[in-house]
Amino acid sequence: MTVEITINGVKAKAEKGESLLEVIRKYGFDVPSLCHHHAVEPCGSCRVCLVSVTDNGRTKLAASCNYKVREGLDITTDSEEIRRNRAMVLELMLAESNAPAIQKLAAEYGVTSSRFETEESKALAAERDGCILCGLCVRVCEEVVEVAALNFKGRGDKRDVGTPYQETPQNCIACGACAYVCPTDCIGFVEENGVRKLKKWNRELPILKDDAGRPVGPQFQLFYFTQKAGLPADFYKKGGGPAR
Amino acid sequence: MMARINSAKELQAYRDEVVKKVKAAGKKEVAVCCGTGCQAYGAKDVVAAFQEEIKKQGLGDKVEIKPTGCHGFCERGTLVLMHPEKQLYQRVQPEAVAEIVEKTIKNGEIIEEHLYDNPTTGEKHKLESEIPFYANQKRLILSNNGEIDPTSIDDYIAHGGYLGLAKSIEMGAEKTIEEVKAAKLRGRGGGGFPAGIKWEMAAKQEADQKYIICNADEGDPGAFMDRSILEGNPLAVIEGMTIAALATGADTAYVYVRYEYPLAIERLNIALGQAREMGFLGENILGSGKNFDVKINKGGGAFVCGEETALIRSIEGRTGIPKPKPPFPAESGVFGKPTNINNVETYANVPGILREGAKWFTSMGTENSSGTKIFSLVGKVNNTGLVEVEMGMKLRDIVFDIGGGVPNGRKFKAVQTGGPSGGCLPESKLDLKVDFDSLTSEGSMMGSGGMIVMDDQTCMVDVCKYFLGFLKFESCGNCTTCREGLRRLHELVSQICDGKGDENTIPLIEELCETVQKGSLCALGTTGVNPVLSTLKYFRDEYEAHIKDKKCPAGVCKELITYEVTDACTGCLVCKKRCPENCISGEKKQKHVIDTDKCIKCGICMDACKFDAIRIY
């Protein structure tokens, strides 16, 4: 069902239930976000996509990524209040993450250092390699790759992302989708000496070469693909797949 | 085998029969409170002693010992209430039972030492209704706790049970919802959303399957309202849920109850079994042609699962993380189906509303908050317990008339309402009327009904630190604002407690509070700043004393206090012997000295001193 909403005074059309953030961007307005990717369910974790929403006569700030569009919403994407609160979110993030991407976005909001930084917070940031617990890796692994090798553990300030029992996930196919969507580049995806590594998950898989001697991909990953797509077991070995 | 009841007429006939039987037996009922609190005092032994004594004295056909749910006056357990006069004996031990049976039950003679002695007036009260703790309450729901055997559906029916359901079936779904709307019943779990409007929304949805959920995930520290209802009168909740189900078109319900409530779960299971056997659950309930049954879902103890969308995810077998609303559970709830979710106390109010009518219900309470509310009154208050009061009662009346004021002659300082994300209200707000809107307007909230009284030995900054510590641990951790925001708020407030705050700390706290409040998804984050904002609003001078003077006026924050021996010291050596750090020196009959460098501020010396010669400064 198509509904009509207003974004910064501009009338916009959208499908009911669509992600508000995506509609805003479709109409050319800029709203930052770190935990959103169109391929997966939004989860509203990072909170930098805060916008002002007037719904049914009530105005409040809300994360736009997981706000489902409804008829009559009136949206403001930029104001002093919005910038102030986004800046505070980024300052909080800056204390838990040393990732360049976070520093860059924070600087755009005038935040170059965090008043919340302590020795402890620095140690935690170093331990996490800049991860902001946005959960994109978890969602892409479950929803797109359908492997679900990753998940969150703990809650509150003890929340963390990882693999079951903190052990090497045996079902991880090292496809690298997690590294691809990660906004802080903290997974550590490398290929060297015929091995693909995902450092954060401690997963290493040897890369298969086809009959012509060309590297194709991790053996286990190709096995997963052939199974899933019902291809012959030697499909990739025989040079199948996209032209290389 | 119990009889199956197939219609309102059969219910009435069955009820008459039960009442007649009870009357004919003419037994004197002795209700022994077996709530969790009284059980901790040894209530089960008291029951056993009574049963043995009754047998011994051959009174089996004259007296019935009834183990019941919580009577509320936990401070004075084990409570023994003797019907029909309603004489109350308090702090009853098994050893006292023989005498009680001999003198009071057999001969109607009162034993003075078991009576409640009013600490303010020195008076002894014979009857429950004379005790100020009970006299000032309005016990719509809780009164049944002292009357009903929670394991007997006959007892429930004899006390008017299931008449509400019968009435609702007669009225039909639409009129039932109208009645609940007219009663202005608001959600007792904390949100205060009108239950009737929720029901209407769920009823309007078209779906092949709808659900009812009862939220019994009571997570506030110190709160036990819902537990006591489930333990003492589980069928009232089940009847309320059944009425809601038939009105909204749901046929399945979940009770989401804490794993830590084994007795509540046991009693629920017994009640569900009996209700099924008698046809109050299952197919074609009371000839309505409608089916309904209840499942129990035990929660793992995450505070955030009291939030309805997180609770729904937890029932679905996923991690309890809240979702944005809309869509509301009434539109898309558990397994994506329309779901009506209310709290235990809300459902427990429903049978009465149907039975007695909306007008009766709105005759109690205030314009926008009708009926009563149950609070767990705890902390620095004489009469700790569970209290049910009419909405609109003043805080002062609850704390002082019902609660009996602050013990040990200390001064009242604050009352915290609404659980960990509620607020602390000072003495100047004691005349505030307790209802949903007044509390919110003053920076606190009704919450699910926790009420913690604090005296002048409580440090409000320390209290704030405690609640923030609870909340940062119980946040689901999804929103950055809540996870990191509460973590940093806790750090900043801890800094103040440690004497490390400076002139920038409070402004930073206030700045951060705005973002945590406005930027978080669910109520845990948006109201999680209440402990900070309310203490800053009403006790700012205390924060400033910590920051500017590096002093904790209440003498709580260890980094900011020093223990000192005064001239009242007689040199008795007791503190010296007890000190775990061996940092007290001094000879016999000479004033002792504390080595403040070595002192760990444990306070053992102060507790040990019989001469009040150790002070904090």
Side-chain angles (χ1 to χ4, degrees), chain A residues 6 21 33 40 81 129 138 152 162 169-170 182-183 185 193 238:
Chain A
T6 314
L21 176 65
S33 83
V40 295
E81 185 196 25
D129 284 323
V138 175
F152 280 107
Q170 295 302 322
C182 178
D185 204 10
N193 306 325
K238 297 262 180 253

Side-chain angles (χ1 to χ4, degrees), chain B residues 59-78:
Chain B
L59 297 169
D61 54 348
K62 293 205 181 74
V63 181
E64 191 185 337
I65 303 300
K66 230 184 215 186
T68 66
C70 178
H71 298 189
F73 203 0
C74 307
E75 183 76 33
R76 300 285 178 143
T78 299

Side-chain angles (χ1 to χ4, degrees), chain B residues 66-216:
Chain B
K66 230 184 215 186
T68 66
C70 178
H71 298 189
F73 203 0
C74 307
E75 183 76 33
R76 300 285 178 143
T78 299
L79 301 164
V80 175
L81 184 65
M82 285 158 290
H83 294 287
E85 303 87 350
K86 295 206 174 178
Q87 293 152 341
L88 181 77
Y89 280 172
Q90 42 114 43
R91 291 188 177 150
V92 175
Q93 299 285 327
E95 300 78 57
V97 166
E99 198 192 356
I100 295 177
V101 174
E102 181 65 39
K103 288 193 177 161
T104 313
I105 296 180
K106 242 175 146 178
N107 303 322
E109 200 181 309
I110 295 293
I111 309 170
E112 290 266 319
E113 67 164 301
H114 300 311
L115 293 179
Y116 171 78
D117 49 332
N118 192 331
T120 359
T121 60
E123 244 179 303
K124 293 215 170 202
H125 298 298
K126 251 188 270 178
L127 303 180
E128 188 188 66
S129 57
E130 292 169 356
I131 300 171
F133 176 81
Y134 288 107
N136 294 300
Q137 295 190 42
K138 180 118 195 160
R139 295 160 63 87
L140 290 188
I141 296 170
L142 286 182
S143 62
N144 274 335
N145 270 21
E147 313 252 346
I148 289 180
D149 173 356
T151 60
S152 161
I153 195 166
D154 280 359
D155 220 10
Y156 181 65
I157 291 172
H159 284 87
Y162 281 109
L163 292 181
L165 175 65
K167 183 86 180 290
S168 156
I169 290 171
E170 186 197 317
M171 288 161 79
E174 229 165 274
K175 279 196 177 149
T176 298
I177 293 173
E178 282 311 314
E179 197 71 16
V180 176
K181 271 170 76 179
K184 296 187 186 170
L185 173 65
R186 292 175 68 171
R188 278 6 185 198
F193 193 83
I197 294 182
K198 261 192 187 178
W199 291 21
E200 188 175 49
M201 213 162 144
K204 271 188 194 157
Q205 307 296 318
E206 285 187 23
D208 54 344
Q209 170 80 59
K210 291 182 193 176
Y211 291 100
I212 292 286
I213 294 176
C214 172
N215 184 348

Side-chain angles (χ1 to χ4, degrees), chain B residues 148-446:
Chain B
I148 289 180
D149 173 356
T151 60
S152 161
I153 195 166
D154 280 359
D155 220 10
Y156 181 65
I157 291 172
H159 284 87
Y162 281 109
L163 292 181
L165 175 65
K167 183 86 180 290
S168 156
I169 290 171
E170 186 197 317
M171 288 161 79
E174 229 165 274
K175 279 196 177 149
T176 298
I177 293 173
E178 282 311 314
E179 197 71 16
V180 176
K181 271 170 76 179
K184 296 187 186 170
L185 173 65
R186 292 175 68 171
R188 278 6 185 198
F193 193 83
I197 294 182
K198 261 192 187 178
W199 291 21
E200 188 175 49
M201 213 162 144
K204 271 188 194 157
Q205 307 296 318
E206 285 187 23
D208 54 344
Q209 170 80 59
K210 291 182 193 176
Y211 291 100
I212 292 286
I213 294 176
C214 172
N215 184 348
D217 188 59
E218 193 172 39
D220 296 3
F224 53 105
M225 296 77 60
D226 296 346
R227 189 192 73 206
S228 295
I229 297 173
L230 288 175
E231 287 175 2
N233 197 0
L235 281 158
V237 182
I238 297 169
E239 186 185 346
M241 288 168 73
T242 312
I243 294 170
L246 269 43
T248 57
D251 67 1
T252 304
Y254 292 94
V255 179
Y256 189 89
V257 56
R258 294 175 72 87
Y259 182 77
E260 297 95 322
Y261 284 2
L263 186 61
I265 295 168
E266 187 190 313
R267 298 261 165 90
L268 257 177
N269 270 319
I270 295 170
L272 289 174
Q274 293 180 346
R276 275 184 206 121
E277 223 172 291
M278 296 197 63
F280 294 117
L281 289 176
E283 287 175 7
N284 193 16
I285 294 167
L286 287 184
S288 64
K290 291 178 181 173
N291 312 330
F292 175 63
D293 212 330
V294 180
K295 295 174 184 172
I296 295 180
N297 201 307
K298 285 182 248 179
F303 177 70
V304 73
C305 286
E307 200 283 337
E308 55 187 18
T309 58
L311 186 152
I312 285 169
R313 277 163 88 122
S314 178
I315 287 180
E316 291 169 345
R318 299 187 287 161
T319 319
I321 292 177
K323 278 198 305 194
K325 292 183 277 191
F328 293 97
E331 302 160 298
S332 169
V334 68
F335 307 117
K337 302 292 181 187
T339 303
N340 178 64
I341 174 164
N342 289 123
N343 150 278
V344 171
E345 196 184 331
T346 315
Y347 284 125
N349 268 301
V350 170
I353 292 172
L354 269 295
R355 207 172 52 229
E356 313 287 339
K359 261 207 183 118
W360 163 79
F361 195 72
T362 49
S363 73
M364 293 168 286
T366 62
E367 171 73 27
N368 291 315
S369 304
S370 47
T372 60
K373 176 78 193 87
I374 304 178
F375 291 96
S376 62
L377 187 61
V378 295
K380 301 289 177 63
V381 62
N382 275 311
N383 303 333
T384 310
L386 211 58
V387 306
E388 182 175 352
V389 300
E390 203 170 330
M391 293 267 194
M393 194 174 196
K394 284 180 187 167
L395 271 172
R396 185 186 303 280
D397 300 341
I398 299 178
V399 175
F400 288 92
D401 292 350
I402 296 175
V406 180
N408 305 324
R410 310 279 344 171
K411 211 173 153 293
F412 171 89
K413 185 168 189 177
V415 56
Q416 205 270 356
T417 70
S421 44
C424 298
L425 298 169
E427 186 159 18
S428 61
K429 296 288 168 195
L430 273 179
D431 288 316
L432 196 69
K433 286 183 173 174
V434 174
D435 61 48
F436 288 104
D437 312 310
S438 320
L439 285 172
T440 309
S441 71
E442 294 296 344
S444 186
M445 58 186 211
M446 182 78 101

